[in-house]
Amino acid sequence: MDELKLLREMHDDVPGVTDAAVNQGREQLLRRMDPERSGAQKAKKKHRRKALRIAVMSVATLGLAAALVAGNVIGVSRPQGLASADAAEVLNNAAELTIKTADPVVGPGQFLKVDSTNLWLSMMGAHNPPDGVGAHGEMEWLDTEKMSLYIPANRDQEWVWERSGRIPTTFFDEKSKEFALNQAKEMGDTSELLKGVGGAFYNSPSSFPDEKDMAAYSRDPRMLLDGIYKRTAGAGQSADGEALVYIADLLRTGMVPADLRAALYKAAALIPGVSVTDNQATLDGQTGIAIGRVEKASDFRQDIIIDPATGQLIGEREVALTDRGSIPAGTAVGWTTIRTTVVDSAP
Amino acid sequence: MTTDSDIIRSSGESPQAFTQLYDKYARMVFRYAARRAGESAAEDVMAETFLVAFERRESFDHAWEDARPWLFGIATNLLRKHHRTEAKMLKVTAKASGRESYTDSTERIAEQLDAAAATSALAGALRKLSAADRECILLYAWAELSYEGIAAATKVPIGTVRSRLNRTRRILKEAAGPLMNNIEEAGHGRAQAIA
């Protein structure tokens, strides 16, 4: 028995399609071929819209998956150039402040608690092909999910993960709002309280970075960045963009020790195209400086937001720079804010 | 012999010819969609796949005789709007213990429980995959597309398909591996007993 054979047998017991459904589908197809046929439906010509190429975040991950669908494959080449001078200054300052910060000590029996608020993009409809015929057309809205992850002092012990489930919170048109709220009502409460030894939730190996991985990253910014380019080779829309996404993903786990956080900031300062994108960026009520990079291939911008006074990471976000369906240009279509504390017990 | 490519060509002149493609593949598309997102979603996906395909028939790449990669590519896109249902189905499978199954032999029951546990672990791992990785492995395992077929269906280079499948199979193996060994051992034990 191998994993493929097992997979081939999974959900193998679905009932066959009814003849009625087959006939109905056939009838729909015939009507499309000949609009005069029953009902004299006029063939609606949908306007062509630029394909929106965002992968909907997997519900079951903390969001370690990159948000952009892998596009052009780009080999590892050592890029030239640096972040803009002002971005480098903010990042290097934040690194200096961070290195002086003592990480909270998690004593025996205690937990590192990572609270996060996450905004996810939800899309429905046949967005690729862009002129696909969806029963509901294209719809988009944003969901919020709050999570608390309790990591035991001894990371081999049981972790606890509270998840609120995705709750639709931000809408751009009435049609999507109605659909999203109805769907949410239908789904009911999707909150979860998960437990997993060693961070292995959903009966799957842990997807969180472990202490060994953290220790293995170089603390030299150049070497660290080169390592990240190697790890992300071929992913994302561009090598530089993917490197920044990787850094943002790692930082937002809330599990990165201070010396590595400092090195990651300095590494980000070495990425070409990174600049200060917003001096007064507010995310979930907290204000900081946004450092980011525009991905020209997809017209998205990845930002990391830092509190300049403390060097602490407030969060990260992904901003759409052009209209995406009903979502206006300039909207943050995904973000995460984190807060870490040490607590004595987990639920 | 009439290939799918021929059918699509002739549907340029006489659209009704396209129904041959529907009759040939509708049930196949339904089955794939139903395994991923349940029957009710599958009925919609089946019908919509062919509506989209019909409207886009000019974009069909006639280097292919077989229309399945093209159709499953469209179905895959349509299935994205059912991602919540898919996640929920996987969640249910991941939580199923297999205790409701019954047979006449204790050895068989033990093996079934192991198989159910391995399937649960597999569903849990599938649920955690990125959408692109999940689509890739399911097009391979459930739609039975070739590497080339998956590349055409998902519009990525074949190297990407290869690396996605390698990575995904590794993840699935890691998730279900220890439990699968038990099934294998049970099988050996029985074979020896018979010999």
Side-chain angles (χ1 to χ4, degrees), chain B residues 98-143:
Chain B
R99 289 188 207 290
E100 62 277 17
S101 59
Y102 59 91
T103 75
D104 50 0
S105 105
T106 47
E107 196 182 22
R108 190 82 187 106
I109 289 170
E111 199 189 327
Q112 282 197 349
L113 284 175
D114 283 336
T119 302
S120 296
L122 200 69
L126 266 181
R127 197 176 159 216
K128 283 183 74 177
L129 290 176
S130 71
D133 284 357
R134 188 168 47 245
E135 285 166 2
C136 191
I137 188 76
L138 295 181
L139 284 171
Y140 186 70
W142 290 354

Side-chain angles (χ1 to χ4, degrees), chain A residues 88-126:
Chain A
E89 194 189 332
V90 172
L91 287 163
N92 289 327
N93 280 344
E96 293 312 320
L97 288 166
T98 301
I99 204 84
K100 288 183 203 139
T101 318
D103 280 326
V105 177
V106 186
Q110 290 186 309
F111 295 83
L112 178 68
K113 183 180 181 216
V114 183
D115 291 304
S116 65
T117 303
N118 307 270
L119 190 84
W120 314 119
L121 173 65
S122 273
M123 294 192 319
M124 287 287 154

Side-chain angles (χ1 to χ4, degrees), chain B residues 26-40:
Chain B
R27 286 166 195 276
M28 208 182 274
V29 170
F30 172 87
R31 184 170 164 74
Y32 175 69
R35 288 178 83 175
R36 283 191 56 189
E39 286 167 82
S40 134

Side-chain angles (χ1 to χ4, degrees), chain A residues 208-288:
Chain A
F208 300 100
D210 68 24
E211 287 171 307
K212 249 191 268 168
D213 291 341
M214 298 283 194
Y217 284 107
S218 173
R219 266 55 172 176
D220 171 77
R222 182 77 251 174
M223 285 170 68
L224 175 60
L225 184 59
D226 283 349
I228 290 170
Y229 278 127
K230 269 197 200 111
R231 278 169 187 255
T232 58
Q237 308 270 344
S238 71
D240 294 334
E242 193 61 17
L244 186 64
V245 169
Y246 188 91
I247 289 172
D249 283 348
L250 202 53
L251 286 171
R252 75 171 172 193
T253 62
M255 295 163 64
V256 182
D259 62 336
L260 181 55
R261 286 205 304 276
L264 286 167
Y265 287 158
K266 288 185 174 176
L270 298 174
I271 299 176
V274 168
S275 63
V276 172
T277 56
D278 192 350
N279 267 310
Q280 290 287 316
T282 304
L283 207 54
D284 203 19
Q286 292 172 274
T287 304

Side-chain angles (χ1 to χ4, degrees), chain A residues 1 3 7-8 10-12 19 22 25-26 32-33 61 124 128-129 131 133 143 183 202 204-205, chain B residues 15 22-23 27 30-31 35 48 54-56 77 81 84 91 93 124-125 127-128 142 169 184:
Chain A
M1 179 71 81
E3 72 284 354
L7 181 60
R8 288 199 165 110
M10 189 176 140
H11 293 178
D12 194 29
D19 288 343
V22 171
R26 203 169 193 282
R32 181 61 51 91
M33 290 167 181
T61 65
M124 287 287 154
N128 185 18
D131 53 355
V133 186
D143 293 321
Q183 185 186 247
Y202 300 107
S204 300
Chain B
Y22 181 84
D23 295 340
R27 286 166 195 276
F30 172 87
R31 184 170 164 74
R35 288 178 83 175
E48 283 183 34
F54 177 73
E55 293 207 326
R56 293 172 61 84
N77 285 322
K81 70 177 164 183
R84 276 172 182 251
K91 191 172 161 186
T93 308
R127 197 176 159 216
K128 283 183 74 177
W142 290 354
R169 286 193 65 174
E184 213 153 275

Side-chain angles (χ1 to χ4, degrees), chain A residues 141-273:
Chain A
W141 68 91
L142 304 174
D143 293 321
T144 302
E145 179 169 26
K146 286 187 183 275
M147 306 180 193
S148 297
L149 181 64
Y150 296 80
I151 305 163
N154 174 354
R155 293 192 176 182
D156 294 333
Q157 292 177 348
E158 187 179 75
W159 300 31
V160 178
W161 196 4
E162 280 181 300
R163 307 185 59 161
S164 70
R166 292 167 70 135
I167 295 158
T169 47
T170 310
F171 312 99
F172 306 93
D173 63 16
E174 279 305 313
K175 177 187 67 167
S176 304
K177 182 177 181 178
E178 193 189 335
F179 179 84
L181 292 177
N182 277 339
Q183 185 186 247
K185 202 170 153 196
E186 210 174 283
M187 294 287 289
D189 181 8
T190 56
S191 66
E192 293 177 293
L193 180 65
L194 305 163
K195 302 197 174 185
V197 173
F201 296 101
Y202 300 107
N203 298 317
S204 300
S206 170
S207 62
F208 300 100
D210 68 24
E211 287 171 307
K212 249 191 268 168
D213 291 341
M214 298 283 194
Y217 284 107
S218 173
R219 266 55 172 176
D220 171 77
R222 182 77 251 174
M223 285 170 68
L224 175 60
L225 184 59
D226 283 349
I228 290 170
Y229 278 127
K230 269 197 200 111
R231 278 169 187 255
T232 58
Q237 308 270 344
S238 71
D240 294 334
E242 193 61 17
L244 186 64
V245 169
Y246 188 91
I247 289 172
D249 283 348
L250 202 53
L251 286 171
R252 75 171 172 193
T253 62
M255 295 163 64
V256 182
D259 62 336
L260 181 55
R261 286 205 304 276
L264 286 167
Y265 287 158
K266 288 185 174 176
L270 298 174
I271 299 176

Side-chain angles (χ1 to χ4, degrees), chain A residues 32-59:
Chain A
R32 181 61 51 91
M33 290 167 181
D34 176 9
E36 299 308 311
R37 196 185 166 92
S38 65
Q41 251 194 353
K42 286 228 170 90
K44 274 179 265 172
K45 184 79 188 158
K46 286 221 166 188
H47 63 281
R48 182 173 284 266
R49 195 183 276 165
K50 199 172 160 193
L52 189 51
R53 306 203 56 184
I54 310 168
V56 172
M57 278 281 182
S58 158
V59 184

